[in-house]
Amino acid sequence: MPVLEATDRGIFPEPPQAEERPAAVPEQKRFPRSVLLVEDNPGDIRLVREAVASSSVHPRLTIAQDGLEALRMLQKDGKKPDLILLDLNLPALDGRALLRRIKTDPELHRIPIIVLTSSDARQDVSSAYELHANCYMVKPADFAGLERALHRLL
């Protein structure tokens, strides 16, 4: 499977077709209001925070530094994030195991998950899609690239 571009709109639900949409409701893009970043690298956390802060949307960003922390956050009662940015290489519970748990949980499986990782290995890409990731993005090498990619997603 190919790696999806950050501009792919398939990660968010498409608006209903014109004949299904009430006439009084204007078409608008859905933006995530809350994002869960599952990342253990402090430098990458800082870069994502800065990129999100510079976006025009300003979603609430919550950080989990390992898979178990993320799973505990997601299993708490209350509002779930609109989007999850997930690294694959995590301590405690790795990203693949977390992705599997989320996508098999009836309460969580509809949350879009973008794998945001440094790996471009075919096996990682294939396994992420087999586990029902919505998008796979290789982390850009510089801040400007990360910022552009996240602005397209948000």
Side-chain angles (χ1 to χ4, degrees):
M1 289 185 137
V3 177
L4 293 179
E5 294 291 324
T7 57
D8 180 57
R9 295 200 57 218
I11 61 172
F12 300 107
E14 291 293 321
Q17 298 300 318
E19 60 273 12
E20 300 170 14
R21 187 181 314 123
V25 178
E27 184 178 325
Q28 53 187 342
K29 183 177 176 183
R30 291 189 53 185
F31 297 104
R33 290 182 293 254
S34 62
V35 175
L36 173 61
L37 171 63
V38 188
E39 173 63 67
D40 64 321
N41 182 311
D44 287 342
I45 291 170
R46 182 180 54 76
L47 291 175
V48 170
R49 272 191 177 134
E50 290 176 14
V52 168
S54 70
S55 79
S56 61
V57 179
H58 305 293
R60 182 174 38 88
L61 184 66
T62 305
I63 311 295
Q65 293 189 323
D66 66 54
L68 285 177
E69 181 183 8
L71 193 57
R72 280 192 292 270
M73 288 177 174
L74 291 166
Q75 290 176 335
K76 280 186 190 175
D77 287 337
K79 182 126 173 63
K80 305 299 182 215
D82 296 316
L83 176 68
I84 298 173
L85 299 175
L86 176 64
D87 188 21
L88 291 180
N89 302 310
L90 298 166
L93 182 68
D94 79 344
R96 291 162 203 81
L98 179 60
L99 180 58
R100 181 180 294 109
R101 300 270 298 263
I102 292 169
K103 291 301 185 177
T104 58
D105 185 313
E107 298 288 319
L108 305 173
H109 75 277
R110 291 182 187 232
I111 302 171
I113 299 178
I114 298 173
V115 173
L116 181 62
T117 188
S118 57
S119 173
D120 63 356
R122 277 188 187 276
Q123 184 176 359
D124 287 337
V125 175
S126 294
S127 72
Y129 282 122
E130 286 169 8
L131 294 169
H132 305 288
N134 297 82
C135 182
Y136 191 100
M137 268 182 51
V138 177
K139 290 178 187 171
D142 61 2
F143 175 73
L146 178 65
E147 185 176 46
R148 277 191 308 276
L150 288 178
H151 286 188
R152 282 188 224 127
L153 290 170
L154 302 175

